[in-house]
Amino acid sequence: MLHVDNIEVVYSKMILVLKGMSLQVPDGKIVALLGSNGAGKSTTLKAISGLLGGDGGQVTKGKIVYEEKDITAWSPDKIVQQGVFQSMEGRRVFKHLTVEENLMAGAHSRKDRRNIKKDMERVYHYFPKLKDLNSRHAGLLSGGEQQMLAIGRGIMAKPKMLLLDEPSLGIAPLLVKEIFKNIKQINEEEGMSILVVEQNANVALSIADYGYIIEDGRSVMEAPVSELLTNQEVQEHYLGMSEEGRKNYREVKAYRKKQRWI
Amino acid sequence: MTFFLQMLVSGIVVGSIYALVALGFVLIYKASDALNLANGEFVLIGSYICLTLVTALQLPFLVALLITLGVCAVLGLMVERVVLRPLLNAPTISIIMATIGLGNLLAGLVHMVWGHQTRVYPNLFPDTPVTFGGVLITPVYLWSFIIVMLLLIVFTVFFKYSKMGVAMRAVADDLQAAASMGINVKRVFAITWAIACIVAAVGGVLLGNINGVNATMSVIGLTVLPVVILGGLDSIPGAIVGGFIIGILQSIAGGYLDPLVGGGLKEVFPFFIVILILMFKPYGLFGKGGMERV
């Protein structure tokens, strides 16, 4: 169980990005974190995985607790060893390493080196395409294949919790559906809890159990997915559908203002 | 023809040492995007330490070499900890400046401890040359070549198959993504510097056995620059191939052209090559100008 408790994150000691963000990821569930550009989704993930340091950010208030341990401000390698693994936004595969070497790098934190070959087969079971490409440099894969590899690296690390940052970014819509199906499958078969950050709310909610909506650095709504899907405001602003047709801009602005006060 | 072969052989041997030293240079470039301009001083220090162990303490050569490698590994770790770690997120140019400062500091230390006259290693290898098809090869050349080749094989296997080797390449590729894999980036940097220091030291010891040791040996730090520019700054195979090419060309140019111009061309010849490479193939033979899928 992951608790993010009212955290504040500041970049370069002056830019306040998260203003009291809270969320929880129960064991074995898929939780979706939705929000628009710049709302603080990626920052939330990086705060959890300890990768803020590379961007000059730090958690200044609140705490992050994973399995009763306060992991706030731990170094990323320690957090991975606790079983929390982040697959970063934009895939970030190691371009000059082969597919297989990328998977090996994903398994870096593992102590049981013997099972690595077996788990590689596991990755190929979810993403058969990668098997044929295993000796190719990752930089030469297509966007979708790179995304599969990025998630595959996550499987290799055998985490208890996988954090996925925009797995749909820059990938053909048909492939996005397939990748999300794989994510659901990984959740079910490996028993990994998954926290997925998405702009593409439709596809994220199609596999998630619970959803949070983040705006301007704080969580403004949280509910089980079935409720989110029927909530009118969510439908309008995140799922792009509306029963009475498009609303005018003033009403949208009023909604934003309202959200800001929550 | 024999003269040519003779030059070729000595070029190959010196080139293999260049390859080794260049390997350390490339490792650091790949890890931190910075040129390590203290590399020549690492070579020098390694050579002097081993010399001291062999002459003053009368240790057998292999023991002395192993101790030298250990000491240099510690030196590399210390350099990373004291000089580089505080500059972890600093601009590349600051890191390069720091290595220049470090180089001067080390050069000064060497001068204080060992003075400036040329010292020679005692004869560790037999004097009688071996003949290969009419070409005379002194054992010190032969052994240097064998040691370098062994090390190059060890490193190739290390980078290809070991966990730490793959992690080092991952860090070179994308530092933040490597951190997200649970790779301890600071440890990788420390090991990178230790390895760079070790290979430089081996280069220094071998060169010292061939030519004797004095402060001008640190010039090799500059000579490997053409090597890595030819091979591609970020390519390990490039460093190795580049080392051989520069070594051979330098040796042959020295043999044939030096008498014509009255000497000295051997030292500058690699830099002619650099200019040509920069004009026609700025990323070097194996360098990656950024891999893109098209």
Side-chain angles (χ1 to χ4, degrees), chain B residues 227-248:
Chain B
V227 171
V228 293
I229 289 173
L230 171 65
L233 267 168
D234 51 3
S235 165
I236 293 171
I240 296 168
V241 175
F244 282 108
I245 295 178
I246 295 283
I248 292 168

Side-chain angles (χ1 to χ4, degrees), chain B residues 22-31 33-36 224-236 238-239 278 281-288:
Chain B
L23 176 71
F25 199 87
V26 167
L27 283 183
I28 286 175
Y29 180 80
K30 279 168 78 86
D33 277 341
L35 305 178
N36 170 22
V224 296
L225 210 57
V227 171
V228 293
I229 289 173
L230 171 65
L233 267 168
D234 51 3
S235 165
I236 293 171
L278 289 178
K281 214 161 175 353
Y283 290 114
L285 296 176
F286 298 90
K288 288 134 186 159

